[in-house]
Amino acid sequence: MKRILSGVQATGKLHIGNYLGAMKQWVKWQDKGECIFFIPDLHSLNIRPKPQHLKNETLNNVAWLLACGINPDKSIIYAQSHVSANSELCWILNNYVTMGELNRMTQFKEKSQKRGTTGQLVGLFDYPVLMAADILAYSANIIPVGEDQRQHVELTRDIAERFNNIYGKTFIVPEAAIGDIGSRVMNLADPENKMSKSDNNQNGNVLLFDKPETIKSKIARAVTDSGSTIEASDNKPAITNLLQIYAGFSDRNVKEIEKKYANKGYKEFKTNLADLVADKISELQKKFEKNRKNQEILKKILEKGAQKANIIASKKLVQVKERIGLI
Ligand code: TYM
């Protein structure tokens, strides 16, 4: 049976890119294998979040996962910091990756440029190695992520292969699974750039926490391209993005939607899209609110998840230590 694994950070600004590119995809994987979905809380330390904020957002993420349809009876849900094997393996893997490779990571280059002091932290630089450990400790086969994480999964593959070549087959070499729809949702105000939690221009991001009126006004104000046809193409990045979002929320393909709006204007298209997204997110929010009320249940889910995750990861760690000569 295949093992599927992925994670979403608890930094408090989950947006429709996270939903369409990752969380919504994960739900489908639950019937296809053994799933592990986790909150990489250690990764979030590189923005030095306020302690209370991190605690709150970690539980929020669990409630969002449930709201999106992740079933804790089928999938392991855990917090990264509850399984020390992830961090220990990260330290070991640091010796099988070079600074040159980490310097080439697009996300590191972007973030280190945009941020002030925290852009220079080793925790940000080393983030892809912890991610590799998150994956390799669980022998995961399939990693469903958005396009922006492809490079990190590629690096994980390289690390796994390098290690296997030296010590014999130890790690499963994982594959990224990137959906056709919504794997790179762009910023509504700046469709050349992806929607991102760390973006300061929050008008371009539709957050899972946004009220329906806010969602509608953000979509109404979304930039469009010149011309008036509603068609996906390379020279129409704004409309292509809106069509992708429409497809993601309606479960229809882009061609069908183009056909529906063949002789219609941007205004009607955007109004319908805004209603669609606002309705779907309101539904998710209702479920979120219900789940979030019972904090004890959320903590229990993490506890149970960590117990199972610990068993899997610590076994792999024992094997790795043995291979490299730690006694
Ligand atoms: P994070 O928290 O930045 O994002 C969570 C998931 O959302 C996807 N995503 C997007 N998809 C489409 N359009 C966008 N604009 C968009 N923005 C984000 C991301 O690709 C991701 O799938 N390093 C990871 C978390 C992580 C992880 C792992 C994932 C840590 N260890 C091991 C998989 C396996 C991260 O920060 O994702």
Side-chain angles (χ1 to χ4, degrees):
M1 178 131 84
K2 296 252 185 255
R3 186 170 281 154
I4 296 114
L5 175 145
S6 201
V8 56
Q9 289 197 57
T11 41
K13 287 190 193 143
L14 289 183
H15 52 67
I16 58 171
N18 299 125
Y19 175 64
L20 294 179
M23 294 145 90
K24 184 167 188 265
Q25 306 288 336
W26 299 351
V27 177
K28 297 188 205 152
W29 283 103
Q30 289 189 116
D31 300 320
K32 296 184 183 147
E34 188 191 342
C35 290
I36 304 179
F37 300 116
F38 71 104
I39 322 293
D41 49 357
L42 294 172
H43 271 112
S44 303
L45 297 181
N46 72 49
I47 57 163
R48 295 190 185 159
K50 294 228 159 48
Q52 196 49 43
H53 178 78
L54 183 58
K55 277 186 193 163
N56 188 44
E57 292 303 337
T58 301
L59 293 175
N60 278 353
N61 268 23
V62 180
W64 279 120
L65 288 178
L66 304 182
C68 291
I70 303 298
N71 177 349
D73 294 327
K74 279 189 186 169
S75 300
I76 296 177
I77 300 177
Y78 83 97
Q80 188 185 40
S81 63
H82 294 176
V83 183
S84 53
N86 292 36
S87 312
E88 232 182 301
L89 183 61
C90 171
W91 184 255
I92 293 172
L93 295 182
N94 276 331
N95 301 293
Y96 302 89
V97 63
T98 66
M99 285 166 63
E101 285 173 306
L102 295 181
N103 262 320
R104 281 196 291 279
M105 294 294 113
T106 313
Q107 212 170 73
F108 172 70
K109 284 197 264 187
E110 282 172 8
K111 288 190 174 166
S112 59
Q113 263 170 24
K114 264 200 229 158
R115 293 187 195 167
T117 346
T118 61
Q120 302 307 313
L121 295 177
V122 175
L124 179 67
F125 187 61
D126 203 33
Y127 154 128
V129 188
L130 180 55
M131 182 161 161
D134 292 334
I135 296 171
L136 300 179
Y138 297 85
S139 306
N141 307 90
I142 297 168
I143 317 300
V145 282
E147 186 60 52
D148 64 333
Q149 296 295 331
R150 185 193 289 275
Q151 197 186 24
H152 294 154
V153 179
E154 291 295 324
L155 181 70
T156 303
R157 291 171 59 86
D158 291 344
I159 295 175
E161 277 166 0
R162 193 168 297 158
F163 193 99
N164 288 349
N165 283 338
I166 305 174
Y167 302 101
K169 188 151 173 49
T170 310
F171 294 124
I172 300 261
V173 180
E175 266 175 53
I178 297 178
D180 300 333
I181 297 289
S183 63
R184 190 169 168 81
V185 175
M186 309 306 275
N187 188 301
L188 299 185
D190 173 14
E192 303 286 347
N193 281 305
K194 69 168 179 141
M195 201 173 271
S196 158
K197 291 193 206 107
S198 55
D199 199 328
N200 290 330
N201 180 1
Q202 288 300 325
N203 278 334
N205 290 355
V206 176
L207 305 182
L208 297 191
F209 265 131
D210 279 341
K211 295 199 172 71
E213 314 86 77
T214 313
I215 296 172
K216 288 183 188 176
S217 107
K218 284 181 177 176
I219 293 179
R221 278 187 292 164
V223 300
T224 43
D225 309 290
S226 55
S228 59
T229 49
I230 294 160
E231 257 173 7
S233 77
D234 288 348
N235 56 8
K236 280 180 165 266
I239 287 296
T240 304
N241 186 37
L242 297 180
L243 277 164
Q244 284 271 329
I245 296 172
Y246 199 125
F249 277 98
S250 63
D251 291 315
R252 293 162 75 171
N253 67 46
V254 169
K255 284 271 161 273
E256 263 178 80
I257 304 162
E258 284 175 341
K259 219 162 150 194
K260 178 170 177 199
Y261 290 96
N263 295 309
K264 299 187 173 145
Y266 283 165
K267 184 150 192 289
E268 182 175 347
F269 170 66
K270 280 166 97 183
T271 308
N272 291 354
L273 174 63
D275 290 343
L276 170 69
V277 178
D279 283 356
K280 291 276 177 184
I281 293 191
S282 300
E283 264 173 49
L284 288 179
Q285 286 175 353
K286 278 190 201 117
K287 292 184 188 160
F288 168 84
E289 293 301 342
K290 207 166 144 226
N291 298 328
R292 187 66 182 86
K293 273 194 194 116
N294 203 332
Q295 187 139 313
E296 289 317 305
I297 291 186
L298 301 177
K299 286 186 178 161
K300 271 265 159 341
I301 289 174
L302 288 180
E303 216 176 281
K304 218 174 101 196
Q307 274 168 10
K308 292 185 187 162
N310 255 307
I311 294 172
I312 303 170
S314 49
K315 238 193 214 164
K316 180 55 69 181
L317 189 62
V318 168
Q319 188 196 10
V320 170
K321 285 181 169 176
E322 156 78 31
R323 292 264 153 113
I324 59 177
L326 295 172
I327 57 169

